Amino acid sequence: MRLAPYDRRAAVLYAHRWAYGRNPAFYDYENLGGDCTNFASQCIYVGSGVMNFTPTFGWYYIDANQKAPAWTGVPYLYNFLTREEQTAGPAARPCELADLHPGDLIQLSFNGTDFRHSPVVVSVGHPAALENVLIAAHSYDADNRPLSTYDYQGIRFLTIFGVWRP
C-alpha cells in the first residue's frame, strides 16, 4: 500500500453539486434513516477514487443492497476512516476544529450519546470558528451552512490525511 493525496477540491465540488440534489448513481436513503453518510461517502469517494471491498468492515457501494455498513452508517464510517490498518481507501484521524480543511468530515450527536449526522466541510475561515466552518449535507440538506447553526450535544472532527492505494 502507498499513501496518495486526497483530492479535497474534487470532494468539495461534488458536495456543492449534489447538496440539494441526489446523484442517480446512488440510492437515496432519506426515508430509511437518512442520507447524510451516504452523501458524505460519495464526496469522500470522489476525492479518493478508491473503495475497500472487504466484507463487513470495508467501505464500498455497488447498489442499494450491496454496500458496506461504513458507506451509510455514521459510527461505521468513523471506524473505517480511523482504522489503523493500511488497507485500501481514504484514511482520517480525529482532529481539532482548527485543523479542519475543505473535504474533511464532521460528525454530530444530537442526544450527546450517539453520533447521527455526517456533514462535509466545504469551507474553513481563518481562524477556524463554528461560525465560519461551512458544511454541505443531506438529510438536513444544506450547502455553505455555518456549523454554528446546528443544535448538537456532541461533535467530532475528522481530517482526511490521505488515501491508501494498492
Side-chain angles (χ1 to χ4, degrees):
M1 289 286 159
R2 66 179 178 82
L3 190 63
Y6 173 60
D7 189 342
R8 296 177 177 284
R9 184 174 183 276
V12 169
L13 288 173
Y14 184 93
H16 288 313
R17 166 67 179 90
W18 293 105
Y20 293 112
R22 301 299 188 265
N23 182 337
F26 296 91
Y27 187 79
D28 178 3
Y29 295 93
E30 192 68 37
N31 295 318
L32 295 173
D35 198 57
C36 67
T37 305
N38 177 41
F39 174 68
S41 286
Q42 292 172 42
C43 295
I44 295 168
Y45 175 64
V46 168
S48 67
V50 177
M51 289 186 189
N52 180 318
F53 291 95
T54 304
T56 308
F57 298 108
W59 177 74
Y60 62 90
Y61 178 94
I62 298 168
D63 61 33
N65 298 311
Q66 297 179 82
K67 60 177 175 47
W71 191 269
T72 55
V74 176
Y76 304 107
L77 179 58
Y78 179 88
N79 290 340
F80 175 77
L81 289 173
T82 62
R83 70 198 181 284
E84 292 187 18
E85 303 83 19
Q86 294 178 5
T87 58
R93 65 178 145 262
C95 69
E96 300 297 322
L97 177 72
D99 300 319
L100 287 174
H101 300 282
D104 284 339
L105 189 66
I106 295 169
Q107 293 191 323
L108 301 173
S109 170
F110 300 115
N111 64 7
T113 306
D114 305 310
F115 285 88
R116 302 261 180 192
H117 193 47
S118 298
V120 176
V121 176
V122 294
S123 179
V124 179
H126 298 285
L130 295 177
E131 295 75 25
N132 66 20
V133 171
L134 306 180
I135 60 88
H138 278 184
S139 295
Y140 304 96
D141 288 10
D143 192 20
N144 289 311
R145 179 178 176 177
L147 188 53
S148 62
T149 64
Y150 280 95
D151 184 21
Y152 56 86
Q153 299 296 311
I155 190 167
R156 60 189 179 194
F157 310 108
L158 287 169
T159 187
I160 300 173
F161 63 82
V163 180
W164 291 109
R165 295 187 176 277

